[in-house]
Amino acid sequence: MIPGVPGESQVYLNGEFLRVDEAKVSVLDRGFIFGDGIYEVVPVYQGNAFRMAEHLNRLDRSLAALRIAQPFDRDGWIDLIQKLLARTDMETCIVYLQVTRGVAKRDHQFPSTPVAPTVFGMISAWSPPPAAQRERGLSAISIPDERWLHCEIKSVSLLGNVLAKQQAVDAQVDEVVQFRDGYLTEGSSTNIWVVSGGKLLAPPKNNLILEGIRYGLMGELAAEAGIPFESRPISRQEVEQADELMLSSATKEVLAIVSLDGKPVGSGKPGPVFAQLRAGYDARIAAL
Ligand code: PDD
């Protein structure tokens, strides 16, 4: 028994649908040994996967970056997601997908004879952030970004992110805001947004951040709301003096950060730009 995971919940592993407590991976799986794999987290509302094409495009990019063979074509992935959703009665949930390089003798380099990637999929229970979080906003602390230099790959090698998130938990805040060389990168598992002088700012899409699926979406929502959007390096000072801060991710959607390092951000309440973007996000979900 794994606390919080019903034993009978169904997962997909290498061609089979199994009970989660029956699904087993080899101890020599390179995902286990080296963290050599990639993943996706797709939110599902009322049975509809949100931005599925964009998530599957990123999954393709992650596989290509690690040179892991693509196990399915696009229809194969969509079929798998539909089959997973057909096996749950949760309408609003998360689809988790993971592919590792597969099982091989432990050796750092890629296996010389090709091995089949390990393909795993599961549905996780999830509820959108409660109204109280949307209305009150979140707290965060700033920390140095000590992760590797390929944060653009959605890799299961998440130790840096795990340690970062634990720092937030230890400090009794909701998230961390990471800085590398004096510039904003991202949260432990979220993208960070800054509002300054009426403009929405985000760090550039490069190897220092994961391009969240909500990164593109926030740009679209800002354009629709007539909010100027700039993607550029953002200094620590700009973050500290921001009128508003926000975070975004599949599971947190879009939430305001109202305190950073114990100091209020702007008015200390979720601001007007957040309210506009949040309304746009809700409208996209409602239109699914
Ligand atoms: N995390 N940056 C990092 C480091 C992330 O792990 C995530 C998502 C994001 C936001 O990406 P998206 O908008 O596609 O969710 C940014 C997921 C939710 C996770 O690891 O559970």
Side-chain angles (χ1 to χ4, degrees), residues 94-159:
I94 290 292
V95 175
Y96 177 86
L97 303 171
Q98 178 173 328
V99 184
T100 76
R101 197 177 306 279
V103 179
K105 175 175 175 292
R106 184 183 179 279
D107 247 332
H108 285 68
Q109 73 268 25
F110 300 168
S112 48
T113 32
V115 293
T118 299
V119 184
F120 173 59
M122 67 176 167
I123 301 288
S124 299
W126 169 71
S127 304
Q133 270 187 7
R134 295 169 52 146
E135 283 153 23
R136 272 192 239 127
L138 302 179
S139 56
I141 52 167
S142 60
I143 62 165
D145 191 338
E146 293 172 340
R147 300 172 303 157
W148 73 329
L149 292 171
H150 274 300
C151 299
E152 82 283 12
I153 304 172
K154 199 159 175 67
S155 154
V156 293
S157 298
L158 284 172
L159 190 52

Side-chain angles (χ1 to χ4, degrees), residues 24-33 103-104:
K24 305 276 185 254
V25 178
S26 165
V27 290
L28 288 181
D29 193 280
R30 288 180 62 101
F32 178 61
I33 296 278
V103 179

